[in-house]
Amino acid sequence: MTLSRPESSHILTPLPAFSDNYLWFLQNDQQALVVDPGDAQPVLAFLSEHPALQLGAILITHHHPDHVGGVAELVARTGAQVFGPALEKMPIPVEPLVGQQHINVLGLDFKVIDVPGHTAGHIAYFCENAQINGVAAPLLFCGDTLFSGGCGRLFEGTPAQMLASLDSLAQLPADTRVCAAHEYTLSNLRFALAVETDNAALQKYNLACQTLRAQSMPTLPSSIGQELAINPFLRSREISVIQAVQQHFPQRKTNEWNETTVFAHLREWKNNFQ
Ligand code: ZN
Ligand code: FE
């Protein structure tokens, strides 16, 4: 009989910040990383409750203040190594990353994926082999690109860029845990239900998320498989979504519709959705 060596396991915790941000905090026995710390306070509070933990790394997805605002203070207090997008202006020095690069943090390999759209140089971090909270499944930190039931607003990129970025995330394994940076799920699902009223998976997921939020529990992480079933921005080539968009913008000519214009109008519909 051979004794099996215990798998090295990590613990993943969403630290709430501001009104609806999550600072994703990943740790093993001694070391931790945090993603997009827009505020240092929740991270410092967590570290003071876990004095054996050392903050080894900070992963940044894009330059917005609610994602980088706490980085300088955390670096000053912990000396953590900072990684961030090479193509964006950062408030402090970072180790610059572009798509296809790999970094090793906490003994985990993260692949960088370029996901322009919300901002011009937005990146995501994907770990294929992660054993987290006792469960083996891939892990994705996607900032403000993919949310549960939605996607980020297009502040700097084009609809075609965002569609391509979401396509690259949609190709990840179905069990990939999607760690988005905001708890926007319920309002996203109200819009999703306006687009796909008859989507049974969406109706069921909406009820489950309402139950979680009623108990102040996070709806995240979601999974790529879940999002493929319910997120209209990953479903913009489905006939149900195309028809809903066309009905919402009846003044458009038939020959103006293609996958990019459907996606662009879906995003515009969401921007004005109350
Ligand atoms: Zn943002
Ligand atoms: Fe944000």
Side-chain angles (χ1 to χ4, degrees):
M1 187 183 137
T2 47
L3 286 172
S4 63
R5 196 163 54 92
E7 296 269 349
S8 90
S9 191
H10 294 76
I11 298 169
L12 179 66
T13 311
L15 302 179
F18 308 115
S19 58
D20 52 33
N21 284 68
Y22 290 129
L23 318 182
W24 290 97
F25 191 95
L26 187 65
Q27 66 188 88
N28 59 23
D29 293 341
Q30 302 114 28
Q31 286 251 319
L33 69 79
V34 68
V35 184
D36 287 349
D39 186 2
Q41 238 327 293
V43 183
L44 293 170
F46 192 91
L47 287 168
S48 71
E49 287 163 20
H50 302 79
L53 272 184
Q54 191 207 346
L55 187 69
I58 297 170
L59 274 50
I60 301 172
T61 64
H62 69 293
H63 69 83
H64 284 159
D66 63 311
H67 298 252
V68 300
V71 175
E73 184 175 355
L74 288 174
V75 170
R77 299 257 201 137
T78 67
Q81 190 177 17
V82 188
F83 298 93
L87 301 176
E88 302 205 339
K89 210 168 150 235
M90 290 287 129
I92 60 144
V94 304
E95 307 212 10
L97 299 173
V98 294
Q100 308 304 319
Q101 275 184 270
H102 287 253
I103 56 171
N104 193 288
V105 184
L106 304 182
L108 297 172
D109 176 78
F110 286 90
K111 181 185 175 183
V112 178
I113 305 173
D114 281 322
V115 285
H118 177 68
T119 60
H122 200 304
I123 58 174
Y125 298 84
F126 173 68
C127 175
E128 180 118 48
N129 297 304
Q131 172 89 18
I132 293 187
N133 305 345
V135 180
L139 183 61
L140 174 70
F141 297 121
C142 52
D144 288 355
T145 298
L146 175 62
F147 298 123
S148 186
C151 74
R153 282 177 186 258
L154 302 179
F155 287 118
E156 297 173 11
T158 63
Q161 281 179 316
M162 183 57 116
L163 180 58
S165 295
L166 293 175
D167 283 345
S168 59
L169 300 183
Q171 284 159 20
L172 297 174
D175 62 346
T176 301
R177 280 165 286 219
V178 175
C179 303
H182 291 272
E183 179 63 67
Y184 289 159
T185 310
L186 289 187
S187 67
N188 285 340
L189 294 181
R190 275 200 309 113
F191 175 71
L193 282 164
V195 178
E196 284 193 292
T197 312
D198 299 329
N199 180 333
L202 173 57
Q203 294 164 351
K204 186 178 164 207
Y205 182 63
N206 184 47
L207 291 177
C209 290
Q210 284 180 339
T211 303
L212 286 170
R213 294 308 294 148
Q215 299 161 43
S216 301
M217 304 263 284
T219 60
L220 299 168
S222 180
S223 71
I224 291 294
Q226 180 67 260
E227 295 307 309
L228 286 171
I230 62 95
N231 188 326
F233 294 93
L234 295 189
R235 297 172 57 76
S236 65
R237 296 178 187 91
E238 295 288 327
I239 191 72
S240 50
V241 175
I242 295 169
Q243 284 178 346
V245 170
Q246 290 178 339
Q247 279 166 21
H248 192 74
F249 296 93
Q251 66 279 20
R252 302 278 156 172
K253 294 196 191 77
T254 316
N255 63 2
E256 289 174 345
W257 292 115
N258 57 51
E259 63 180 33
T260 307
T261 59
V262 169
F263 183 83
H265 283 81
L266 181 65
R267 187 57 256 185
E268 187 186 327
W269 181 4
K270 172 73 162 67
N271 290 347
N272 300 308
F273 186 77
Q274 302 291 332

